[in-house]
Amino acid sequence: MHRPPPYGMSNTGRYPPYHYGGEYYPSERRRGGNVCVRCICCFCCFLFFIILIFAVLILYMFLYYDPKCPTYKFEYMDVKEFKYNPDSSINADVILTLRANNPNKGVGLLYEEASFINVTYSDSLICSGKFPSFHHGHRNVTMLQIALKGKNQLRSGLNESLKDDERHDKIRLKLMAMVPFRLVYGNIKIRSLNMNANVTLIVRDLKPGKKSVTEEGKIAYRLSY
């Protein structure tokens, strides 16, 4: 008795060839996904170790150098010339003596050239100059001579107001400065920063000669890029 061939088998007794349709199976997807995950994990680990190394380096430098803010104090004003002109202008030529103290044991400061210092009276410019460019070594106190000159017109009424303050031995002059500088760790120079400072100076008179200067409050300053 003739029996029919099993399901899928031809009359010749052979199964037809299997044609792969390009299907993706879960095992194949898992192999490709594992490679991507491993790459991402390796990159994250590498990035973490780089950040960790930088953090440890910064912490070491902070603990070793123990950075402190430098201090500044104006000591004297040497008046070379201070002349009231008939047209309400003023000729001024003064030298300010500044005591700069860097208390750090391993951090120096490199003061750069592109600086300015303005001295004003009631917001009218009296004279101007530049902060000296020099390298301020660690644990060092330096006395700086800052030359300030100018011929400037005062606003109406300020000429008499300035003379009246001089008669009362109390002249308030506002000093504003912008000084670019770099921090120096050994032979390493950090990127340039700007120190913006202002303070009110009180002097007794503006006649030629060396005058003591009193600071009305501390020097206020902030840093910027």
Side-chain angles (χ1 to χ4, degrees):
M1 182 176 179
H2 179 70
R3 295 180 180 179
Y7 177 78
M9 182 181 290
S10 65
N11 293 329
T12 60
R14 297 179 180 179
Y15 288 99
Y18 174 73
H19 296 284
Y20 178 66
E23 297 87 350
Y24 292 95
Y25 293 94
S27 60
E28 294 177 340
R29 287 198 298 271
R30 282 197 298 271
R31 284 196 297 271
N34 287 340
V35 173
C36 292
V37 170
R38 284 197 296 270
C39 289
I40 293 173
C41 288
C42 289
F43 175 76
C44 289
C45 290
F46 175 76
L47 186 61
F48 171 77
F49 281 114
I50 292 295
I51 294 174
L52 181 63
I53 290 171
F54 273 104
V56 171
L57 181 61
I58 291 173
L59 180 61
Y60 167 77
M61 292 178 67
F62 183 83
L63 294 176
Y64 178 78
Y65 289 109
D66 188 22
K68 299 180 178 67
C69 290
T71 59
Y72 308 92
K73 187 177 187 305
F74 288 97
E75 301 280 350
Y76 302 102
M77 175 185 284
D78 189 3
V79 181
K80 301 295 184 182
E81 180 187 14
F82 201 91
K83 181 182 177 183
Y84 298 93
N85 298 316
D87 60 353
S88 296
S89 66
I90 287 178
N91 288 6
D93 183 358
V94 301
I95 297 177
L96 276 174
T97 300
L98 175 68
R99 184 179 187 272
N101 177 29
N102 179 15
N104 293 284
K105 66 178 181 180
V107 181
L109 297 102
L110 181 62
Y111 297 100
E112 300 181 319
E113 293 184 357
S115 65
F116 71 82
I117 298 177
N118 291 335
V119 175
T120 64
Y121 175 77
S122 295
D123 296 327
S124 285
L125 183 64
I126 298 292
C127 53
S128 58
K130 289 191 173 184
F131 193 86
S133 175
F134 76 106
H135 177 256
H136 197 183
H138 56 274
R139 287 182 174 171
N140 175 268
V141 176
T142 301
M143 304 299 286
L144 301 174
Q145 305 290 315
I146 304 173
L148 303 166
K149 297 181 180 181
K151 179 180 179 180
N152 296 282
Q153 192 84 21
L154 296 183
R155 296 199 316 269
S156 176
L158 287 185
N159 207 316
E160 292 302 321
S161 175
L162 182 56
K163 290 179 181 179
D164 186 61
D165 287 346
E166 192 170 3
R167 282 192 293 269
H168 289 86
D169 298 331
K170 196 171 185 179
I171 305 167
R172 283 185 171 88
L173 300 175
K174 187 172 183 180
L175 182 144
M176 295 172 291
M178 191 284 291
V179 182
F181 72 98
R182 293 176 184 267
L183 295 177
V184 181
Y185 295 89
N187 294 324
I188 302 174
K189 297 178 182 178
I190 308 300
R191 64 169 296 177
S192 183
L193 299 171
N194 293 324
M195 178 170 59
N196 302 281
N198 67 81
V199 66
T200 298
L201 304 177
I202 300 177
V203 294
R204 294 189 61 183
D205 65 72
L206 296 170
K207 297 180 179 66
K210 196 172 187 179
K211 315 294 179 181
S212 61
V213 174
T214 305
E215 296 172 1
E216 191 174 64
K218 294 182 179 179
I219 299 176
Y221 58 89
R222 61 181 178 85
L223 302 180
S224 63
Y225 291 102

